[in-house]
Amino acid sequence: MIDLTVGLIVLWGCAEAAYLCVLFTGGTLGLYERLLIPALVAGALLAVLLCAFCRRWRKRRGEAAQISRLSLRSGGIYLVVLAAAGAVTLAHFMGNYVVDLTDAVYEMALNTADSGLLMARHPFTGQAAGSIPRRLQILGLSTLYAAVMDMTGISAYTLMGQIVPVLVWLWSLGIYFSLGRVLLRGREKYVWLFVGLIAFWYVLTAHSEGMAGYRLFYAGFSGETIRACILLPFCLLVCCRRQWLWALLAIVCEATLVWTTYGIGYCALVTAVFLLVTLWTDRRART
């Protein structure tokens, strides 16, 4: 799951690079769409090479620890918890429900798809593009949604209200599955229960504004949701495994997905804490 997540982050990085190139040269949505496919192809090749290189490097250093595969049988009755949470979640997304139409990403995606211009209006004030700060302009997620809608003809509700939230939910559970295998090594049959409880936690917090479950169920397309449901658990996972390069990728990805406080995101804080604790424990082990 780590390699898959790294690959998707690299793909997003290449799509963001194409967006920034169009944004700073004054291009339009059409130009971004023409650059998007070559950028994604280049990103896929780069991701494969990067993951292969890092895996070989870890293997040479003796860090390629083998983790036994988990069978469905090992989960036993705990699979019922995961299945029940999955049924409730999928039923929610497949039905007619309220999407947070006031979310800045949703508004910017609709404005970009309608006008064909990048960052034509401020998502909060509705003013002209000149009033948008640079820190907000570099967030290209809404433009990616607009390009997908324009190229495929998928409606905004279907793409951002149904397809993307389900993908984010499945991706998040996959990362928590890998995290559970790291945290619960030796008690691997409880990994299924751990993932099931995470899935139910999303359901239980669906009506608590500000919680990850609320963001997933009503704004699963936003950068804040991707940060809470994917980037933060991924950052915890790679920090536990001391894969600092992947943590750095998560930090950069967060900075291009969601507005952060003074440019410092949660992934950076989590990585800094883990790094300090790791240096302290290694120093104590040597003395």
Side-chain angles (χ1 to χ4, degrees):
M1 194 65 198
I2 290 180
D3 288 348
L4 176 61
T5 304
V6 169
L8 292 174
I9 290 177
V10 172
L11 282 177
W12 162 250
C14 291
E16 174 70 10
Y19 165 74
L20 293 178
C21 179
V22 176
L23 176 67
F24 293 134
T25 56
T28 62
L29 180 63
L31 177 59
Y32 174 69
E33 292 173 358
R34 290 193 293 272
L35 293 178
L36 183 59
I37 300 301
L40 293 179
V41 172
L45 295 175
L46 178 60
V48 170
L49 292 175
L50 183 61
C51 290
F53 173 79
C54 290
R55 180 169 292 191
R56 178 173 296 183
W57 181 73
R58 292 197 303 270
K59 187 176 181 180
R60 287 182 178 179
R61 296 190 58 183
E63 297 179 2
Q66 297 295 326
I67 300 178
S68 60
R69 292 186 176 182
L70 294 183
S71 64
L72 295 178
R73 184 178 301 177
S74 67
I77 194 172
Y78 301 134
L79 283 174
V80 178
V81 179
L82 180 58
V88 173
T89 303
L90 292 177
H92 172 85
F93 286 119
M94 293 303 104
N96 294 320
Y97 68 101
V98 178
V99 180
D100 187 2
L101 303 178
T102 63
D103 188 274
V105 175
Y106 196 92
E107 289 190 4
M108 288 296 293
L110 290 179
N111 291 338
T112 303
D114 292 339
S115 65
L117 302 176
L118 275 58
M119 291 291 170
R121 290 185 177 277
H122 196 295
F124 300 114
T125 64
Q127 297 177 356
S131 63
I132 303 178
R134 187 68 69 183
R135 183 66 187 87
L136 185 59
Q137 290 185 31
I138 68 171
L139 307 182
L141 186 60
S142 59
T143 304
L144 178 62
Y145 290 146
V148 173
M149 289 188 294
D150 188 56
M151 290 188 294
T152 62
I154 299 176
S155 67
Y157 177 85
T158 301
L159 176 65
M160 292 184 279
Q162 293 179 314
I163 297 177
V164 173
V166 170
L167 294 178
V168 170
W169 176 71
L170 293 174
W171 188 3
S172 177
L173 293 187
I175 293 176
Y176 276 113
F177 185 86
S178 299
L179 182 60
R181 296 179 71 181
V182 172
L183 299 177
L184 300 172
R185 186 173 298 182
R187 296 183 177 180
E188 293 188 336
K189 67 178 181 178
Y190 294 113
V191 173
W192 298 103
L193 177 61
F194 174 72
V195 178
L197 292 177
I198 292 296
F200 257 121
W201 175 67
Y202 283 143
V203 175
L204 294 175
T205 59
H207 301 290
S208 302
E209 189 171 355
M211 299 292 290
Y214 181 88
R215 298 296 309 176
L216 175 66
F217 275 76
Y218 298 103
F221 51 86
S222 68
E224 292 183 4
T225 303
I226 295 174
R227 173 175 63 185
C229 298
I230 294 176
L231 292 182
L232 280 177
F234 174 73
C235 199
L236 289 173
L237 172 61
V238 295
C239 286
C240 287
R241 300 187 64 175
R242 299 191 178 190
Q243 297 176 347
W244 308 113
L245 177 60
W246 301 154
L248 179 61
L249 286 181
I251 293 171
V252 176
C253 183
E254 180 187 7
T256 59
L257 279 175
V258 59
W259 183 293
T260 56
T261 304
Y262 300 109
I264 301 175
Y266 293 118
C267 289
L269 296 177
V270 169
T271 303
V273 171
F274 266 87
L275 185 58
L276 290 175
V277 171
T278 300
L279 293 175
W280 181 68
T281 54
D282 289 347
R283 183 177 180 180
R284 288 195 62 183
R286 289 193 298 266
T287 57

